[in-house]
Amino acid sequence: SVLRAEHIWLDGKLVKWDEGNVHVMTHALHYGLGVFEGIRAYKTHDGRLAVFRLREHIQRLLDSAHIIMLHIPYTEDQLVEATLDLLRQQKHLFANGAYLRPVAFMGDGAMGLGAVNPTRVAVTAWDWGAYLGDKGIREGIRAKVSSFTRMHVNVNMVRGKITGQYVNSILAKREAVLAGYDEAILLDISGFVAEASGENIFMVNKKGVIKTPPLSSPILDGITRDTVLKLLRDSGRTVEEVTFTRDALYICNEIFFTGTAAEITPVREVDNRQVGEGKPGPIGKFVQDTYFRVVRGQDDRYADWLTYV
Ligand code: PMP
């Protein structure tokens, strides 16, 4: 369900939804030089609205821009405030939560790869349900290892969430969905598991060892990945940040994806091989339950991660 909000924050002010336009000569539209974020605000257990790890997302947006040398004419504090303003202005629409999308990109002016035009910055919000479906969250999804490879770390800037880089993700996602699966798993150029098209990946092997690919793999430094690492380690479990092969997924007990949009989504099948019992396993369920409690403000240990609107 995509909700048409009333306002968009665009280049420093709130404008009506219909006025959130850019010109077709927008440089980023042609060449992909932009950065973006995906952030969620949740309805907390006491009926308020709180943005989850807002500052970390804005910091990553600024880091992404720094990587591609895109000048953003706003400070971290200004972007945090812009995001909160947008929600405050439309609180009546987002009482049950919101998905927030800050985006910054090179605007129109000159064309050509050497151009440097003024940066446009927008923040939009809409109502976005479970990215891989409510059923996916509850029962697990079916994934397929993609024929598309995650780009080498010297091709894509993997520490950045850069718009143009998402063509690779879209090719993988479409291939998987058209073949009847829910999501794609991409390998790196050496054949080790990297991440899904828009999520990081965790697995639990038969010995109960929890693993996720390290940050030296071509993966996004996911904020949900970081959250899950903390939740697991705080619960006394150890997690290995190591590379592993696709067949390790075939014979493991549990797999789950982590991401702001997908939250914690269990994987019940990979490449037509049942994972574990073919349903969400205990570690994935623990992570999912804990995550949803944390984002809804029910766990005081992680209160710092919430910014109330
Ligand atoms: N990997 C990719 C390629 C993504 O696009 C995302 C979504 N931002 C993630 C992982 C998960 O990142 P996060 O937990 O910060 O949303």
Side-chain angles (χ1 to χ4, degrees):
S1 64
V2 172
L3 189 119
R4 203 185 140 86
E6 286 162 5
H7 293 96
I8 287 173
W9 187 93
L10 181 61
D11 299 324
K13 47 183 193 287
L14 289 170
V15 300
K16 292 216 169 67
W17 179 276
D18 284 339
E19 289 160 15
N21 302 318
V22 294
H23 200 273
V24 291
M25 288 296 275
T26 294
H27 189 279
L29 188 61
H30 299 246
Y31 307 123
L33 199 74
V35 299
F36 70 106
E37 272 303 318
I39 313 174
R40 273 191 195 271
Y42 287 91
K43 180 184 183 171
T44 57
H45 70 109
D46 54 3
R48 292 188 286 165
L49 188 64
V51 187
F52 190 60
R53 304 194 72 175
L54 172 59
R55 204 160 273 280
E56 290 92 327
H57 281 282
I58 298 298
Q59 281 165 354
R60 189 171 65 184
L61 183 81
L62 292 170
D63 282 348
S64 298
H66 187 70
I67 288 169
I68 61 168
M69 296 196 289
L70 180 79
H71 173 69
I72 297 199
Y74 302 99
T75 63
E76 185 186 310
D77 285 347
Q78 284 174 321
L79 293 171
V80 165
E81 275 311 304
T83 308
L84 292 170
D85 274 350
L86 183 76
L87 286 179
R88 284 188 201 114
Q89 174 93 4
Q90 314 182 90
K91 232 173 159 176
H92 55 291
L93 294 177
F94 298 121
N96 291 317
Y99 181 83
L100 295 152
R101 167 58 53 82
V103 59
F105 51 94
M106 195 181 286
D108 56 327
M111 269 299 160
L113 301 185
V116 180
N117 299 332
T119 302
R120 311 289 306 270
V121 185
V123 187
T124 57
W126 66 89
D127 177 15
W128 217 6
Y131 180 69
L132 293 168
D134 290 326
K135 192 163 179 266
I137 292 254
R138 279 196 319 273
E139 296 172 17
I141 59 153
R142 297 175 60 243
K144 175 97 186 80
V145 172
S146 185
S147 76
F148 295 97
T149 302
R150 203 80 190 138
M151 242 114 37
H152 182 266
V153 293
N154 209 21
V155 176
N156 270 356
M157 297 294 103
V158 297
R159 280 298 85 82
K161 198 164 162 61
I162 296 159
T163 58
Q165 296 185 168
Y166 277 79
V167 173
N168 175 245
S169 285
I170 291 172
L171 290 171
K173 175 81 183 184
R174 286 198 175 160
E175 178 190 59
V177 170
L178 288 172
Y181 301 87
D182 303 301
E183 183 54 298
I185 294 171
L186 290 98
L187 308 177
D188 67 18
I189 57 157
S190 306
F192 295 107
V193 174
E195 62 180 341
S197 71
E199 301 88 30
N200 292 109
I201 186 169
F202 283 73
M203 66 96 119
V204 187
N205 75 10
K206 285 214 171 69
K207 292 181 181 146
V209 182
I210 309 168
K211 297 185 187 188
T212 194
L215 291 180
S216 52
S217 286
I219 61 168
L220 190 72
D221 184 357
I223 289 167
T224 321
R225 175 187 182 278
D226 178 74
T227 300
V228 167
L229 283 172
K230 179 124 178 75
L231 297 180
L232 282 167
R233 286 170 178 161
D234 285 356
S235 75
R237 295 171 171 90
T238 48
V239 187
E240 292 181 3
E241 295 177 67
V242 289
T243 51
F244 48 83
T245 52
R246 66 191 283 174
D247 58 358
L249 293 177
Y250 296 163
I251 56 169
C252 75
N253 278 354
E254 284 188 54
I255 302 172
F256 51 92
F257 291 152
T258 67
T260 299
E263 300 165 312
I264 313 299
T265 302
V267 179
R268 65 183 163 85
E269 200 184 291
V270 177
D271 289 350
N272 305 309
R273 288 136 176 110
Q274 178 175 301
V275 176
E277 311 265 286
K279 55 180 204 232
I283 306 281
K285 271 205 218 145
F286 164 80
V287 170
Q288 199 184 62
D289 291 347
T290 312
Y291 185 77
F292 283 132
R293 285 181 55 79
V294 169
V295 298
R296 286 172 189 146
Q298 288 166 292
D299 194 330
D300 290 339
R301 288 174 298 169
Y302 307 104
D304 283 356
W305 280 341
L306 275 63
T307 306
Y308 286 89
V309 176

